[in-house]
Amino acid sequence: MKFNGKVLRNKEIAENIWKLDINAGKQFKSLPGQFINVLINDTYEPLLRRPFSIFEASDKKVSIVYKVLGAGTKALAEKKSGDSLDFIGPLGRSYLEFLKRAKNASIIVIGGGTGAASVHYLAKHLRAAGKKFVFIQGARSACNMVAVPEFKKLGCSFSTDDGSLGEKGFVSDLLQKKITGGAVIFACGPKPMFRAIKQACANVKNVKIYASFEEYMGCGIGACLSCVIETTDGTYKRVCKDGTVFDLNDVVI
Amino acid sequence: MAKQNISTAVDIGGLKLKNPVMTASGTFGYGLEFAEYTDLNSLGAIVTKGLAIKPVKGNAPQRLVETTAGILNAIGLQNIGVEAFIRDKLPELKKYNTPVIANIYGTAVDEYIAVAERLSGTAVAAVEVNISCPNVKKGGLAFAADRTAIKGILTGVKKVFSKPVIMKLSPNVGPLEDLARYCEDNGAAALSLINTLVGMAIDLEKRRPRLANIYGGLSGPAIKPVALAFVHKVSKAVKIPVIGIGGIMNARDALEFIVAGASAVQIGTANFRDPAAAQKAADGIAEYMEKNKIGGIGEIRGSLTC
């Protein structure tokens, strides 16, 4: 669905990392793991919409957390409260589709870098549903860590490459201490993190890993076939429509 | 959109469209992806993603990158194949009151003909022959200026497919007037132009191309002036209708192409930015005609004063 939203608040919450709260103007129903595709402005720079995972959403409000990287996010960071914002969403499949299959398994939620946004939404959902879960968040350094207070509220443990927040090391090191057989892992972050998680679970029985991927999107609605990921059956699947969440066993990383 | 006193209808080589706005192949999926965001009934025609005789995997990612006022793509014609299209997509598309034009593609002349033959007798209203994709090794651009191949494809397709056959031409092979006349002489019902321009984008830090395919096809507002010049020249050189394509973002852009000589237009990259872009362009054309008391598209087509 298309929304003509308004910016409620747009603020830098960590080094180069911003949180944007949007009033969608009408009821916005979404699930953890889904994303919105935002039209940054009405000129042709940038030309394409930019996709962002939903950090949290309720009623008419939807929030995203983004890192200022290129022209699109730079322009987005200039948005002020009251500015209008056209976006499409919610898009993509939710983690919850896979959670249904997990039933009584122990749940581990892992975020890395700005991939933290979508797992935050998931963790909030799990907490509200009264489910127990282990929550791990990693970044290079404390200053790159997204929304620390919000994550702390959800019982999150942290790891940083330089040890400036939480344990020194990677999320996979922390995971190794907490993983048990039969666990279900939900993760969002860069591909090397997924590889490390897979390796950390290699000798643990019956672990399922569901990961939300990020690839360069053109349309966000499954038409342009830009954001594809190779699957183990040799075909390409669309991250925007067939994902963004995939069973790690089904994709080539 | 038909309103009082004006008619936006056009005739493209026997194919009657309620308005001159189509969607460009490769930018509108199989149409159905857009049904949630736009009224498919409002479009002049839906042109599908390029269809091959068998499913095509496509190129390795990264397949697309935004450049200044444009995008560069090297999808590599990933498609579900003509069988799956007829089985899974066409029955759904048939529910809309909008003609479906199948863009077809092959790696050899026989493959083009085989796809067209399979589409014969289906609800597909016309085929658009892609001899101009810059992103595949075989077929595509290799055929763009190969007259023997073009003649083989055109005559072969026309034998097995009785509805209009549209040829989609590449801007990457030099001036198109002669080639356009050649297509006309060999029975093309209409010409679509331009396909994307070969380009590349570089990641300076890594000193690597941004696309895995190294080169891609440039589209979007950046190419509109180039496309207008091609459409203007070709439409003067042939009698068959020219379908203008290249960076059309709205009704005004579309009207510029019509004034330059196009009988219809295709909206491409704009669909990614706004899934309702084609519908809005069609509505905008009708509004412009009403406001300026233009009774039919023919009154402004090729009306450019030089």
Side-chain angles (χ1 to χ4, degrees), chain B residues 39-178:
Chain B
D39 179 9
L40 296 178
N41 289 315
S42 70
L43 305 174
I46 293 168
V47 185
T48 70
K49 176 85 194 160
L51 298 170
I53 194 72
K54 292 218 171 82
V56 175
K57 186 180 178 186
N59 291 332
Q62 186 173 347
R63 292 175 164 190
L64 184 146
V65 65
E66 184 169 331
T67 56
T68 307
I71 58 172
L72 201 55
N73 89 80
I75 306 298
L77 287 169
Q78 179 180 336
N79 75 95
I80 57 173
V82 69
E83 288 303 331
F85 171 76
I86 292 169
R87 187 185 63 229
D88 303 334
K89 307 292 181 186
L90 202 50
E92 289 299 310
L93 283 169
K94 263 164 47 180
K95 294 176 185 166
Y96 298 92
N97 178 31
T98 297
V100 175
I101 300 175
N103 183 284
I104 64 169
Y105 143 76
T107 58
V109 172
D110 290 352
E111 288 182 21
Y112 283 92
I113 298 166
V115 179
E117 188 166 23
R118 190 62 194 85
L119 291 166
S120 174
T122 69
V124 163
V127 293
E128 180 185 65
V129 180
N130 182 1
I131 50 160
S132 48
C133 178
N135 299 324
V136 288
K137 288 190 181 71
K138 281 181 176 175
L141 202 49
F143 290 155
D146 180 341
R147 293 188 176 210
T148 313
I150 288 171
K151 188 172 186 169
I153 292 169
L154 250 173
T155 50
V157 167
K158 279 178 68 71
K159 255 181 220 159
V160 297
F161 186 85
S162 58
K163 295 170 192 167
V165 179
I166 304 162
M167 297 299 276
K168 186 167 180 178
L169 305 180
S170 169
N172 298 307
V173 294
L176 286 175
E177 292 94 314
D178 286 349

Side-chain angles (χ1 to χ4, degrees), chain A residues 78-233:
Chain A
E78 283 162 16
K79 297 279 174 201
K80 300 274 180 287
S81 168
D83 286 355
S84 54
L85 204 65
D86 166 329
F87 69 93
I88 289 170
L91 299 165
R93 293 166 66 195
S94 168
Y95 292 109
L96 302 187
E97 287 184 37
F98 299 95
L99 184 65
K100 280 181 208 148
R101 301 181 204 167
K103 291 230 166 111
N104 299 318
S106 63
I107 302 167
I108 303 174
V109 179
I110 307 172
T114 41
S118 78
V119 292
H120 172 266
Y121 193 13
L122 175 63
K124 251 189 114 166
H125 177 91
L126 293 173
R127 171 63 63 91
K131 292 216 188 259
K132 275 190 177 172
F133 59 98
V134 171
F135 194 14
I136 305 169
Q137 170 69 13
R140 273 205 305 278
S141 182
C143 61
N144 308 118
M145 197 69 83
V146 173
V148 175
E150 283 94 334
F151 277 91
K152 275 188 176 160
K153 265 189 251 169
L154 292 163
C156 189
S157 313
F158 298 94
S159 75
T160 45
D161 300 4
D162 62 4
S164 55
L165 178 66
E167 295 211 16
K168 188 175 184 326
F170 301 120
V171 287
S172 47
D173 300 329
L174 207 48
L175 170 65
Q176 227 146 18
K177 294 177 190 167
K178 311 204 178 207
I179 187 84
T180 51
V184 171
I185 298 172
F186 295 102
C188 185
K191 271 186 198 165
M193 185 185 97
F194 296 155
R195 285 187 210 115
I197 290 172
K198 204 169 177 180
Q199 206 167 7
C201 302
N203 298 318
V204 190
K205 273 186 184 162
N206 301 322
V207 176
K208 295 294 269 178
I209 310 167
Y210 301 107
S212 171
F213 284 79
E214 186 176 271
E215 290 293 339
Y216 201 105
M217 287 182 191
C219 68
I221 58 171
C224 75
L225 309 180
S226 165
C227 65
V228 295
I229 183 167
E230 192 162 21
T231 59
T232 45
D233 69 7

Side-chain angles (χ1 to χ4, degrees), chain B:
Chain B
M1 191 188 276
K3 294 195 179 173
Q4 279 181 344
N5 308 324
I6 67 149
S7 167
T8 56
V10 292
D11 185 319
I12 304 299
L15 176 62
K16 289 180 175 47
L17 310 180
K18 56 184 167 291
N19 68 60
V21 181
M22 316 179 189
T23 57
S25 179
T27 66
F28 209 64
Y30 302 101
L32 304 165
E33 295 89 338
F34 286 75
E36 187 188 336
Y37 305 100
T38 192
D39 179 9
L40 296 178
N41 289 315
S42 70
L43 305 174
I46 293 168
V47 185
T48 70
K49 176 85 194 160
L51 298 170
I53 194 72
K54 292 218 171 82
V56 175
K57 186 180 178 186
N59 291 332
Q62 186 173 347
R63 292 175 164 190
L64 184 146
V65 65
E66 184 169 331
T67 56
T68 307
I71 58 172
L72 201 55
N73 89 80
I75 306 298
L77 287 169
Q78 179 180 336
N79 75 95
I80 57 173
V82 69
E83 288 303 331
F85 171 76
I86 292 169
R87 187 185 63 229
D88 303 334
K89 307 292 181 186
L90 202 50
E92 289 299 310
L93 283 169
K94 263 164 47 180
K95 294 176 185 166
Y96 298 92
N97 178 31
T98 297
V100 175
I101 300 175
N103 183 284
I104 64 169
Y105 143 76
T107 58
V109 172
D110 290 352
E111 288 182 21
Y112 283 92
I113 298 166
V115 179
E117 188 166 23
R118 190 62 194 85
L119 291 166
S120 174
T122 69
V124 163
V127 293
E128 180 185 65
V129 180
N130 182 1
I131 50 160
S132 48
C133 178
N135 299 324
V136 288
K137 288 190 181 71
K138 281 181 176 175
L141 202 49
F143 290 155
D146 180 341
R147 293 188 176 210
T148 313
I150 288 171
K151 188 172 186 169
I153 292 169
L154 250 173
T155 50
V157 167
K158 279 178 68 71
K159 255 181 220 159
V160 297
F161 186 85
S162 58
K163 295 170 192 167
V165 179
I166 304 162
M167 297 299 276
K168 186 167 180 178
L169 305 180
S170 169
N172 298 307
V173 294
L176 286 175
E177 292 94 314
D178 286 349
L179 198 69
R181 273 190 291 262
Y182 187 77
C183 291
E184 181 177 37
D185 292 345
N186 282 285
L191 304 169
S192 299
L193 59 136
I194 56 175
N195 204 323
T196 56
L197 289 148
V198 173
M200 77 185 294
I202 289 172
D203 182 329
L204 181 63
E205 272 61 49
K206 293 181 188 155
R207 296 196 191 176
R208 287 185 60 81
R210 290 199 186 267
L211 296 179
N213 192 52
I214 307 174
Y215 308 111
L218 181 65
S219 63
I223 73 162
K224 196 185 92 178
V226 179
L228 274 172
F230 270 105
V231 166
H232 184 237
K233 289 176 182 177
V234 170
S235 63
K236 286 198 293 185
V238 295
K239 292 187 186 69
I240 52 174
V242 169
I243 302 162
I245 322 168
I248 300 174
M249 301 299 284
N250 50 45
R252 291 195 72 84
D253 290 342
L255 285 158
E256 286 178 24
F257 275 82
I258 292 168
V259 167
S263 297
V265 296
Q266 290 180 4
I267 307 258
T269 302
N271 298 317
F272 297 163
R273 183 179 159 88
D274 179 358
Q279 179 179 3
K280 285 178 187 167
D283 290 350
I285 289 172
E287 276 166 35
Y288 179 90
M289 290 171 71
E290 209 158 72
K291 194 176 160 196
N292 294 282
K293 301 193 166 48
I294 298 158
I297 296 289
E299 289 176 32
I300 49 168
R301 183 179 60 239
S303 62
L304 188 73
T305 311
C306 292

